Amino acid sequence: MRNGDGTPLQVKSNYDVERQLSGSGDYAVDMEDMDDDASGGVRSARYSWYTSKDKSIDWSGYNIMPKKCIMHNGEYKIAYEMFKNKNNGCKKHSQGIYLAEVGAFAEAYALQSQYESLYTYGENQYGNPESLDYASCTAFEEANDDGSFTYVKLGCSDAGGLKLFTYSDSSCTVEITNNIGVYNDMKITLGSCVSCTTTPSFDDDATIAALAENGYTDDYAPYDAKLCATVHSNKEMSQSCGWSCKRQVKKGQASSSGSSSSRWNALEKFFLFFWSFAGIGLVWVVLKQRRMMSREDAIVEEAAMNGVGIKKRHVFPIALAIVFLTLLSMFMVWKKMTWLLLIGANVGLFAQFVFLRRKAKRANAAGDGYVKDAGLQIS
């Protein structure tokens, strides 16, 4: 199995124990030598499904969605969401949002993308991102003038994507600005629904045989989840995203990607103003119409309200509560609740206006009198 240019398929990995200077690609795994102990050793450090044939988790139907690259508790993390089987393209059955170390997530994401390309086209069209040389804190291959080294590590950009940062120490804790000519070429498609498992999509006996020879068999296909198994089945690698973390992820998505679910777009803002002013207008006309209620209608209405345990003095606090909840929903961008409260209030006010209007016309036609403000009296 080879790249498009005929060279062997290379899978980047930085889990070699003695890794020092990087950038040369010396720590890649050659697919043609996959069964060799040395290449298998690099892989077994993270991708245990391959060497141990672990069947503890059947990943069939599971999906993962990378959401945001964030700084959390002083460390760069990828926030991702896991979805169970029958999730309808990451639309339901969410298991929650989790965090994984940027470098490990990027390596697993690249590995799965390379295999998806392999399964689809028979070759690695995804490429071999050089940024993965710096998935962990790694010294740049050229020393500084004073003999010291600049260290590089993959992290998060202000926009929530990936970026390479330079440091003065081997632990990558003291960030410095040092233009050494390294740039990030590792891309993670945020917000995309990624299947945990991948199946070869072509009917080529020779290629299928080569895949089987290098570890792919139908028996283990449901467990061959390079990305999901790497970041989610290892508790040391993954951690739950709490309330503050979720707010950070949501805020980041709104500011960088303009997610329609996290902010009001222009059309939605128009209808917010429209229904808000419509509601104010309906309150005015309903109050005006209630001033024309007959005494009999006012008594009947009050008796009906008492029957369900509501006094007229309760109406004003209830109205204030609805207004408060509507404004809170607008501010928090709870779209479903906002539209339910806003449109529901307008429909209710309009129905009240129509009812009072018809009552008034019937009363006038019958010659019944009315008591001014009878419908506004509070008992």
Side-chain angles (χ1 to χ4, degrees):
M1 286 167 285
R2 297 177 176 273
N3 293 301
D5 58 1
T7 58
L9 174 68
Q10 301 290 314
V11 181
K12 292 282 188 180
S13 178
N14 76 322
Y15 284 101
D16 187 276
V17 177
E18 302 299 329
R19 183 182 181 92
Q20 296 178 356
L21 302 182
S22 63
S24 60
D26 295 336
Y27 299 90
V29 177
D30 189 335
M31 283 289 293
E32 292 188 340
D33 193 31
M34 192 72 108
D35 292 332
D36 181 78
D37 291 339
S39 61
V42 178
R43 180 175 292 270
S44 65
R46 276 309 301 121
Y47 310 112
S48 59
W49 64 267
Y50 178 80
T51 54
S52 65
K53 307 300 183 186
D54 181 17
K55 283 190 173 183
S56 60
I57 301 178
D58 185 339
W59 295 98
S60 301
Y62 279 67
N63 290 77
I64 185 171
M65 178 185 287
K67 299 182 75 69
K68 199 71 181 173
C69 187
I70 63 173
M71 171 69 78
H72 183 72
N73 292 336
E75 297 182 0
Y76 289 116
K77 302 282 187 177
I78 292 287
Y80 66 92
E81 189 168 5
M82 286 297 303
F83 295 86
K84 295 187 292 185
N85 195 14
K86 299 180 180 179
N87 57 68
N88 192 24
C90 298
K91 293 183 174 63
K92 58 182 181 179
H93 297 166
S94 171
Q95 290 185 301
I97 299 177
Y98 302 86
L99 296 171
E101 195 270 326
V102 171
F105 191 99
E107 284 191 315
Y109 185 93
L111 183 67
Q112 174 145 332
S113 298
Q114 289 171 328
Y115 270 86
E116 287 178 352
S117 176
L118 176 69
Y119 292 163
T120 303
Y121 307 109
E123 61 184 22
N124 173 24
Q125 295 187 3
Y126 178 81
N128 300 299
E130 294 294 330
S131 296
L132 296 185
D133 284 344
Y134 305 104
S136 63
C137 189
T138 306
F140 184 60
E141 56 187 339
E142 296 180 7
N144 299 320
D145 294 338
D146 59 1
S148 64
F149 283 94
T150 297
Y151 293 83
V152 186
K153 187 178 180 181
L154 198 61
C156 303
S157 68
D158 292 338
L162 300 182
K163 180 181 178 180
L164 290 175
F165 291 89
T166 52
Y167 301 86
S168 62
D169 62 312
S170 59
S171 299
C172 288
T173 58
V174 182
E175 185 179 341
I176 60 174
T177 302
N178 191 352
N179 186 9
I180 55 178
V182 291
Y183 303 96
N184 174 52
D185 61 349
M186 175 65 205
K187 306 298 180 184
I188 295 177
T189 305
L190 300 174
S192 63
C193 187
V194 180
S195 174
C196 286
T197 58
T198 308
T199 304
S201 60
F202 48 79
D203 186 13
D204 182 339
D205 293 340
T207 305
I208 293 296
L211 290 174
E213 184 179 336
N214 285 286
Y216 182 92
T217 63
D218 291 338
D219 292 341
Y220 295 104
Y223 314 99
D224 179 5
K226 300 169 183 64
L227 175 58
C228 297
T230 297
V231 302
H232 198 65
S233 62
N234 189 336
K235 292 184 179 180
E236 296 179 358
M237 186 68 64
S238 176
Q239 64 183 99
S240 180
C241 183
W243 183 80
S244 61
C245 167
K246 290 177 182 177
R247 283 189 58 83
Q248 186 179 358
V249 172
K250 184 176 181 180
K251 182 179 179 181
Q253 286 182 303
S255 61
S256 64
S257 63
S259 173
S260 60
S261 62
S262 302
R263 61 191 299 180
W264 300 106
N265 60 39
L267 182 62
E268 289 170 331
K269 288 179 180 178
F270 168 78
F271 280 107
L272 285 177
F273 282 106
F274 174 81
W275 288 115
S276 297
F277 282 107
I280 293 172
L282 283 171
V283 168
W284 182 78
V285 297
V286 166
L287 290 177
K288 182 179 179 181
Q289 194 63 47
R290 291 184 66 84
R291 299 170 76 92
M292 307 301 295
M293 288 181 65
S294 66
R295 182 189 297 274
E296 179 183 351
D297 288 340
I299 294 174
V300 170
E301 181 187 75
E302 185 169 2
M305 293 174 64
N306 291 335
V308 295
I310 300 177
K311 301 289 185 179
K312 280 193 174 182
R313 63 175 176 268
H314 297 155
V315 173
F316 185 67
I318 292 173
L320 282 181
I322 293 175
V323 171
F324 173 78
L325 285 175
T326 303
L327 292 176
L328 178 64
S329 300
M330 290 181 183
F331 177 76
M332 298 298 296
V333 199
W334 296 337
K335 294 188 177 183
K336 291 183 179 179
M337 181 178 289
T338 300
W339 296 126
L340 178 65
L341 291 171
L342 200 54
I343 298 177
N346 276 271
V347 171
L349 288 168
F350 182 75
Q352 175 76 346
F353 169 72
V354 172
F355 175 78
L356 293 174
R357 184 71 174 171
R358 295 183 65 181
K359 279 281 190 179
K361 287 184 177 181
R362 289 176 182 175
N364 290 335
D368 296 336
Y370 68 89
V371 176
K372 185 177 180 181
D373 296 342
L376 300 179
Q377 292 177 356
I378 299 176
S379 58

